[in-house]
């Protein structure tokens, strides 16, 4: 595992959580608003480092949204996602038949990393 580009404030045991979403382009804006609320809640949890939600450029892209977040450890992520309010909010999204959303999520470790070489001026 290469970690030479990991920010100084991110410990070596950090994990990356990735969640990809299949959702109709018609429902994206409402989903993003709700996602922001869930992310704001998660950002208060111990071990949370950062999160970014990526939106596809084209409405024909299969996965319209990709969430990438970092946590100090698997245990911190598990504790954060066990929060009853977070679970309630995610269940509401999953059970809303008006806005069909399919997600696929998992925790990942960096195994190969490349970056642009930066020369000192």
């Amino acid at each position: 595992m290469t970690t030479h580009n990991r920010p100084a404030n991110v410990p070596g045991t950090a994990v990356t959580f990735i969640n990809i979403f299949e959702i109709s382009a018609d429902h994206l804006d409402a989903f993003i608003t709700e996602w922001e609320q869930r992310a704001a809640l998660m950002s208060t949890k111990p071990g949370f480092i950062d999160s970014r939600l990526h939106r596809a450029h084209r409405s024909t892209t299969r996965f319209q949204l990709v969430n990438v977040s970092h946590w100090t450890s698997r245990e911190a992520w598990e504790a954060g996602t066990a929060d009853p309010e977070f679970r309630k909010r995610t269940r509401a999204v999953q059970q809303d038949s008006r806005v069909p959303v399919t997600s696929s999520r998992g925790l990942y470790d960096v195994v190969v990393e490349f970056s642009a070489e930066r020369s000192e001026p």
Side-chain angles (χ1 to χ4, degrees):
M1 179 165 136
T2 59
T3 59
H4 66 279
N5 285 341
R6 181 171 287 155
N9 64 338
V10 178
T13 59
V15 295
T16 301
F17 172 71
I18 300 174
N19 196 357
I20 57 175
F21 299 95
E22 280 187 270
I23 181 171
S24 164
D26 298 338
H27 297 101
L28 281 175
D29 293 331
F31 182 87
I32 290 169
T33 298
E34 292 172 3
W35 184 90
E36 284 179 298
Q37 295 169 0
R38 290 187 303 275
L41 174 64
M42 296 308 281
S43 71
T44 66
K45 303 300 176 195
F48 175 86
I49 298 170
D50 64 20
S51 185
R52 291 184 176 171
L53 185 64
H54 303 264
R55 184 176 185 162
H57 281 226
R58 296 184 178 173
S59 63
T60 56
T61 301
R62 179 176 178 187
F63 301 112
Q64 285 294 298
L65 298 170
V66 177
N67 170 37
V68 178
S69 62
H70 298 97
W71 290 80
T72 56
S73 67
R74 177 187 190 100
E75 294 77 19
W77 176 81
E78 288 173 346
T81 57
D83 176 82
E85 181 62 24
F86 178 76
R87 286 184 179 255
K88 176 183 160 188
R89 291 179 187 193
T90 55
R91 248 189 328 275
V93 171
Q94 294 166 347
Q95 295 172 349
D96 186 353
S97 61
R98 296 169 297 154
V99 182
V101 177
T102 301
S103 72
S104 181
R105 63 188 205 155
L107 288 175
Y108 296 84
D109 293 318
V110 175
V111 293
V112 176
E113 184 175 39
F114 287 90
S115 64
E117 291 294 324
R118 300 190 196 276
S119 60
E120 295 296 319

